[in-house]
Amino acid sequence: MSGSTPFQMRLVHLDLKGAPPKVSYLSEIFPLFRALGANGLLIEYEDMFPYEGPLRLLRAKYAYSPSEIKEILHLAGLNELEVIPLVQTFGHMEFVLKHTAFAHLREVGSFPCTLNPHEAESLALVGAMIDQVLELHPGAQRLHIGCDEVYYLGEGEASRRWLQQEQNSTGKLCLSHMRAVASGVKARRPSVTPLVWDDMLRDLPEDQLAASGVPQLVEPVLWDYTADLDVHGKVLLMQKYRRCGFPQLWAASAFKGATGPSQAVPPVEHHLRNHVQWLQVAGSGPTDSLQGIILTGWQRYDHYSVLCELLPAGVPSLAACLQLLLRGFDEDVKAKVENLLGISSLEKTDPVREGAGSFPGSNILALVTQVSLHLRSSVDALLEGNRYVTGWFSPYHRQRKLIHPVMVQHIQPAALSLLAQWSTLVQELEAALQLAFYPDAVEEWLEENVHPSLQRLQALLQDLSEVSAPPLPPTSPGRDVAQDP
């Protein structure tokens, strides 16, 4: 299957720090991954891993159990998908350092993102995390140790003191921690190769990189998710890494989660262009210049950000990108992808009307697309574009409970109809989400993407009901209420 692609390995990234799928959904989607051309998974567990002992507090409420991890690995094996676990060990450590028990290991006390590399306890912490992950991945050949976006490195008190010494730099500090973590992996499991994201290495001088010992320990993953990535610049960067002694290099593209922190449905064309550029990079060097490519599917930009595209919403983009890597992307390949997914068009904008598709979670994509395209705009149209609402029931009127009675008849039926329409669709979406995701993810997605618009509608109807309530019965003729005994 990989004869026509420069990427021997094609890994789908599962970012579990947001909306982690239930194992039952993974059992449905893994065969599709394989059918589309994937042969591996990069699983970023974050707080979904069943840490034990002092690390147990890292677990999310619905963290996978050890038996579920084994089931995921079994399902991956059935579908010939190599699993590479990812453990963050330097930056993006919020899920660890947010806890009071580990807050003293922050590089900067007020920010939970970066680990303090000067503390021996820091290395012991990530070592314990790696031990537990490798224990549940006995067949792992590779382990991704993260090390991307190590923000504020060098700004902690210990780092500031260290940097005052001659010959010391933030680059040296980064390489030192990376080498320590990677050496620990090799000591624990000599057969496991550590991978790292490459952004902290890109701008380091060649001589510093080459002398650090890091190239003999890790394989960098060059990541770029843009549609217009600099092909020549990437080729030059690969040549630099080769000269520094890195034996293998990897690429990382994106099929979702890279075009906006609150994106609901991936722009397929953007992601296809990203993969076209990566094919050009791979084609500009030796045939084995890149070991493989990781198609990232970010679920949050970081531990604290909102959810971006849910996995089912990203399946058409993933399918198109995988097939492009294998076969290019002409009309025949496009038709094959559409047929495999049971959709009429990759570019469709109304899947509810045109047919939701037949792939696992296709109903979620259809309903999410409806919400994304039409919910807010339809409520805006009523509240801000309806002449009766803007002309006779403005915020001024609503605050003072003023309305011409006849206007209630013009506004209320339309609002009730719109609310009923969306309530029915949202009930269907909630039921579909509950099959694939845990309750907290369902709640979060609906609260972020659905409830604000529905609450605006409900508030309008509430205000209407208060101003259109029947008046109090009149007092008896000839009597003044104030004179009642």
Side-chain angles (χ1 to χ4, degrees):
M1 181 176 281
S2 59
S4 59
T5 178
F7 298 109
Q8 176 188 347
M9 294 295 300
R10 299 167 301 281
L11 286 84
V12 178
H13 171 230
L14 297 176
D15 178 18
L16 303 182
K17 65 176 170 282
K22 292 181 176 178
V23 177
S24 56
Y25 181 72
L26 296 178
S27 71
E28 297 179 56
I29 205 72
F30 282 1
L32 179 61
F33 288 174
R34 181 58 184 165
L36 291 168
N39 56 10
L41 302 168
L42 178 68
I43 303 184
E44 185 163 352
Y45 287 108
E46 223 212 37
D47 56 7
M48 285 300 290
F49 188 81
Y51 288 107
E52 297 285 3
L55 300 180
R56 190 179 181 90
L57 81 168
L58 304 185
R59 291 187 183 191
K61 181 177 181 180
Y62 297 100
Y64 296 137
S65 67
S67 62
E68 286 177 315
I69 299 289
K70 292 174 183 175
E71 178 64 12
I72 291 170
L73 297 180
H74 173 67
L75 293 167
L78 289 177
N79 292 284
E80 300 177 343
L81 299 168
E82 177 186 335
V83 173
I84 301 178
L86 186 153
V87 181
Q88 287 288 4
T89 60
F90 206 176
H92 288 292
M93 290 283 285
E94 292 93 343
F95 78 104
V96 179
L97 299 177
K98 70 179 182 180
H99 295 285
T100 304
F102 299 114
H104 63 288
L105 297 178
R106 298 174 179 179
E107 166 71 344
V108 175
S110 53
F111 302 142
C113 46
T114 296
L115 191 68
N116 180 345
H118 303 278
E119 294 284 347
E121 193 179 342
S122 293
L123 203 58
L125 168 65
V126 296
M129 293 165 63
I130 289 169
D131 279 340
Q132 294 194 24
V133 170
L134 287 179
E135 185 178 351
L136 282 184
H137 295 75
Q141 302 172 46
R142 302 175 176 92
L143 173 71
H144 201 310
I145 57 173
C147 295
D148 59 316
E149 299 178 329
V150 188
Y151 298 134
Y152 312 111
L153 181 64
E155 296 185 20
E157 289 184 21
S159 288
R160 290 179 187 274
R161 291 194 300 270
W162 186 84
L163 288 170
Q164 289 173 358
Q165 301 172 30
E166 193 176 354
Q167 304 296 321
N168 285 350
S169 65
T170 53
K172 182 178 179 181
L173 183 58
C174 179
L175 289 168
S176 173
H177 182 75
M178 206 178 281
R179 182 177 63 247
V181 174
S183 297
V185 172
K186 299 300 286 185
R188 289 169 172 83
R189 188 86 65 83
S191 60
V192 171
T193 300
L195 274 57
V196 296
W197 301 118
D198 86 306
D199 52 288
M200 298 301 293
L201 306 175
R202 291 172 193 164
D203 298 326
L204 297 181
E206 281 188 39
D207 56 348
Q208 185 179 29
L209 257 181
S212 68
V214 169
Q216 289 72 44
L217 292 168
V218 307
E219 296 179 359
V221 183
L222 291 72
W223 60 271
D224 194 321
Y225 313 140
T226 58
D228 58 351
L229 70 84
D230 178 1
V231 172
H232 181 62
K234 284 289 179 292
V235 172
L236 292 178
L237 184 58
M238 289 164 58
Q239 292 171 351
K240 169 185 172 178
Y241 287 154
R242 289 287 194 190
R243 290 193 299 270
C244 291
F246 289 103
Q248 296 285 355
L249 306 174
W250 296 71
S253 57
F255 71 92
K256 76 176 187 75
T259 56
S262 60
Q263 186 84 28
V265 180
V268 177
E269 185 59 36
H270 170 100
H271 296 293
L272 283 172
R273 291 201 304 270
N274 174 241
H275 286 79
V276 167
Q277 298 295 90
W278 271 116
L279 280 173
Q280 291 182 18
V281 172
S284 301
T287 54
D288 62 345
S289 56
L290 289 166
Q291 169 83 357
I293 186 167
I294 298 167
L295 293 87
T296 63
W298 300 100
Q299 194 55 75
R300 297 188 196 276
Y301 275 32
D302 66 36
H303 185 77
Y304 288 101
S305 68
V306 298
L307 294 170
C308 41
E309 305 100 312
L310 299 172
L311 180 56
V315 168
S317 175
L318 174 64
C321 293
L322 278 168
Q323 285 293 293
L324 182 147
L325 292 176
L326 287 165
R327 299 179 174 84
F329 202 72
D330 56 20
E331 285 302 313
D332 287 342
V333 175
K334 181 171 176 286
K336 179 189 174 183
V337 170
E338 291 167 350
N339 181 62
L340 190 60
L341 301 182
I343 58 179
S344 57
S345 172
L346 281 170
E347 289 87 21
K348 68 187 175 191
T349 57
D350 197 348
V352 169
R353 187 178 68 240
E354 298 180 22
S358 58
F359 64 89
S362 56
N363 55 340
I364 292 175
L365 169 61
L367 295 165
V368 162
T369 302
Q370 281 291 98
V371 168
S372 175
L373 290 177
H374 304 304
L375 173 56
R376 182 183 295 181
S377 61
S378 68
V379 174
D380 285 348
L382 179 70
L383 298 183
E384 300 167 19
N386 181 294
R387 66 189 297 264
Y388 299 113
V389 175
T390 58
W392 280 270
F393 205 43
S394 69
Y396 177 91
H397 293 83
R398 291 175 65 176
Q399 186 176 359
R400 290 162 178 79
K401 298 184 172 18
L402 300 172
I403 193 170
H404 192 302
V406 75
M407 289 302 161
V408 177
Q409 300 170 30
H410 286 292
I411 298 171
Q412 197 172 50
L416 285 169
S417 174
L418 190 60
L419 181 61
Q421 170 194 329
W422 281 113
S423 295
T424 299
L425 186 145
V426 169
Q427 287 175 2
E428 186 180 348
L429 172 57
E430 185 171 4
L433 289 172
Q434 287 171 344
L435 291 176
F437 300 105
Y438 297 97
D440 55 349
V442 177
E443 177 184 51
E444 180 181 355
W445 199 93
L446 294 176
E447 283 196 20
E448 288 283 355
N449 297 281
V450 172
H451 292 175
S453 293
L454 293 189
Q455 286 164 357
R456 293 175 69 205
L457 261 184
Q458 290 161 342
L460 174 74
L461 285 163
Q462 178 65 29
D463 288 350
L464 276 173
S465 71
E466 291 176 2
V467 300
S468 59
L472 293 172
T475 56
S476 301
R479 294 201 60 191
D480 188 333
V481 174
Q483 296 174 348
D484 284 353

